[in-house]
Amino acid sequence: MSHPVPLNVTRGSTTAHVTFLLLALAALGLAALPWISGAGGSGRAVALLVYILLAVMWNALAGFAGLVSIGQTLFFGVAAYVTIRLSNAGVDPYLAVILAIVSGAVLGWLTSLFMLSLKDGEFAIGMWVLSSLAHLCVNLDPLIQGETGTSLIALNAYDIETRNTFTLWVALAVTVVILAALVVLLRSGTGAAITALRDDEIGARSIGIDVMRTKRIVFVLAATGTAAAGALWLASNTTFQPRAYFGVHWTAYMLFMVLVGGLGRVEGALIGALVFFLIETLFGAYGAWYLVGLGGIAVVCALFFPNGLWGLIGPKLPSDPIPTGYKISKIHDASWEEI
């Protein structure tokens, strides 16, 4: 008579502990950057954090929940516009950034009430249509002056060193909070429901998962993170031109980062954002050739590395650096598998 094998169910690992330690050290290094490299380094650091937010949030939406959107610029551009509007009304620009992020969450919830009933291509195109409509509406505001745009002039109340330092610290704090919220969500029962929806929505509904509620949670979180990226990009660059914030190139950047890094993995999105940041930093001055290079890299990854760079790195590690599932191992056996 066979006996059931005793199992040990854990979630963390040495690899995960080392990863979180390295991420904490990286965050401390970024926080100290204003004293190390000055204004230029702070500006580039904010750009990296914006790319991380865009990649991780789009990956959460498409890679984990299966909601492929080509209109996330709706939240990116509207958050920047709200920041301009609030600061023009006398609100401190950094408080305006935080309020714009909140407005992104509210807009995400309102949008989810009617957009999440759409499926696949209808959802993707519908989001693009909403983004285009928001672009047109922003252009009608006399403050924005059409595509001429305006600037976040309220930031002139701060000297340039203080401005760059505050912007970096706000960007770092917001990024840490949003990434932590995503990891906590994915490690919860709702996280399991999210991936179940991606794999088989009908099957997920048949076992009692509230499909609309689950979709709405991840959709609103992605909207919030993308809005944070838009508001922070404005705070770093100060200039607001609608075409530059609602442009389709931001969607292309999100797709590139997730495709190169690895769809459906938090680690993949982080790697993709870092790769994009390095390519832009080193080759951005080459103009059109730089964009051609990005396209070429994306094609190569799609053809030869369908799981992105994480597909090459992940299997070589002893366990997941950012675990969202459980590790099940036999009590008297070192072999294990993740679920």
Side-chain angles (χ1 to χ4, degrees), residues 253-296:
Y253 294 164
M254 295 179 217
L255 287 168
F256 174 87
M257 290 185 284
V258 174
L259 179 65
V260 170
L263 184 67
R265 298 292 310 194
V266 176
E267 301 93 335
L270 293 174
I271 292 171
L274 181 59
V275 168
F276 178 76
F277 172 77
L278 292 175
I279 292 175
E280 183 197 51
T281 301
L282 295 174
F283 305 107
Y286 289 92
W289 286 109
Y290 149 73
L291 297 176
V292 171
L294 285 180

Side-chain angles (χ1 to χ4, degrees), residues 169-194:
W169 287 351
V170 171
L172 182 59
V174 168
T175 302
V176 169
V177 169
I178 290 177
L179 293 188
L182 175 63
V183 172
V184 170
L185 175 65
L186 293 176
R187 289 165 66 94
S188 69
T190 302
I194 290 170

Side-chain angles (χ1 to χ4, degrees), residues 28-79:
L28 290 174
L30 287 175
L33 200 58
W35 294 291
I36 299 172
S37 63
S42 298
R44 293 305 299 158
V46 173
L48 173 60
L49 293 170
V50 167
Y51 297 151
I52 287 174
L53 283 172
L54 290 175
V56 173
M57 291 298 101
W58 196 87
N59 189 46
L61 198 62
F64 286 98
L67 296 169
V68 178
S69 169
I70 58 174
Q72 291 305 99
T73 47
L74 167 68
F75 309 108
F76 187 86
V78 167

Side-chain angles (χ1 to χ4, degrees), residues 11-38:
R11 176 155 261 178
S13 66
T14 301
T15 305
H17 296 155
V18 171
T19 299
F20 287 121
L21 176 60
L22 292 175
L23 289 175
L25 292 174
L28 290 174
L30 287 175
L33 200 58
W35 294 291
I36 299 172
S37 63

